[in-house]
Amino acid sequence: MDRIEEARPTVVGNLETTYPFVTSCADVAILFNTLEHVFDYQHVVNEMRRILKPGGRALVYVPFIFPMHIHQTEEFLVDDYFRYTKSSLKRIFIGSGFSKVEIEPMGGLFFVVAEFLGFAIVHRMLRFPVYAIFLILENMYVRIRPGVSSQRYPLAYFVVAQK
């Protein structure tokens, strides 16, 4: 579902209104790089829970350390409103009535540095060696300090919430 018809979604609609789906009709709801673009995020999470069958899961990916990004069409401005922490995501999903919420930070210190260097490097072919070097550095850092890097320097969060 997307409100931008050019994206050619299965269903054209606005996430900040009631979804055109019956209650308890879906096994899985997926929201990828979208929640930061919705001002009424609680409504979106409430609607995801509403359309899920009992035991259904919401799979949500949201950026954290990532540049601001907007998309403008003739009809719509898709703004960039929020960045969410692990604790805020937990509260949002538990507040909507999800029974089980698991949140995994993605990334790490060297992934964050590589991501921002990648934006600065104009030539795409030069990005690959930078990413490769920083991948090696991240793996070394994780071995030295397990569990610290992605917790302190998340590029994004991946949420699995069960109804």
Side-chain angles (χ1 to χ4, degrees):
M1 182 169 137
D2 198 321
R3 68 180 182 165
I4 300 173
E5 197 167 343
E6 294 88 38
R8 299 181 0 168
T10 304
V11 175
V12 177
N14 185 342
L15 290 176
E16 293 189 73
T17 62
T18 302
Y19 297 176
F21 306 109
V22 297
T23 300
S24 299
C25 66
D27 294 312
V28 177
I30 300 172
L31 199 62
F32 186 79
N33 284 335
T34 304
L35 199 58
E36 74 275 15
H37 296 291
V38 180
F39 192 78
D40 192 357
Y41 58 85
Q42 194 66 60
H43 171 77
V44 171
V45 176
N46 291 346
E47 278 293 286
M48 287 175 65
R49 186 183 177 285
R50 179 187 68 79
I51 67 166
L52 286 171
K53 295 176 183 175
R57 292 185 177 169
L59 307 176
V60 180
Y61 182 90
V62 295
F64 182 68
I65 299 177
F66 195 78
M68 299 293 290
H69 53 290
I70 62 170
H71 178 73
Q72 179 77 51
T73 70
E74 288 183 21
E75 298 174 30
F76 299 109
L77 167 66
V78 180
D79 212 338
D80 192 347
Y81 296 109
F82 301 104
R83 293 295 181 266
Y84 302 93
T85 61
K86 184 176 181 177
S87 59
S88 68
L89 289 165
K90 186 94 166 174
R91 289 183 70 171
I92 290 166
F93 282 86
I94 293 293
S96 286
F98 282 93
S99 62
K100 183 178 178 185
V101 180
E102 297 173 1
I103 303 169
E104 185 70 30
M106 312 294 287
L109 175 61
F110 292 98
F111 286 127
V112 169
V113 173
E115 185 76 20
F116 282 94
L117 281 175
F119 288 123
I121 297 171
V122 178
H123 300 290
R124 288 184 151 189
M125 293 304 291
L126 296 176
R127 291 180 193 161
F128 178 75
V130 169
Y131 290 144
I133 290 166
F134 281 91
L135 175 62
I136 292 166
L137 290 171
E138 182 67 29
N139 285 330
M140 289 171 42
Y141 185 66
V142 167
R143 288 183 183 167
I144 295 167
R145 300 201 58 200
V148 173
S149 192
S150 64
Q151 294 290 335
R152 293 203 55 197
Y153 306 100
L155 276 174
Y157 290 100
F158 186 69
V159 180
V160 178
Q162 185 171 356
K163 181 174 179 180

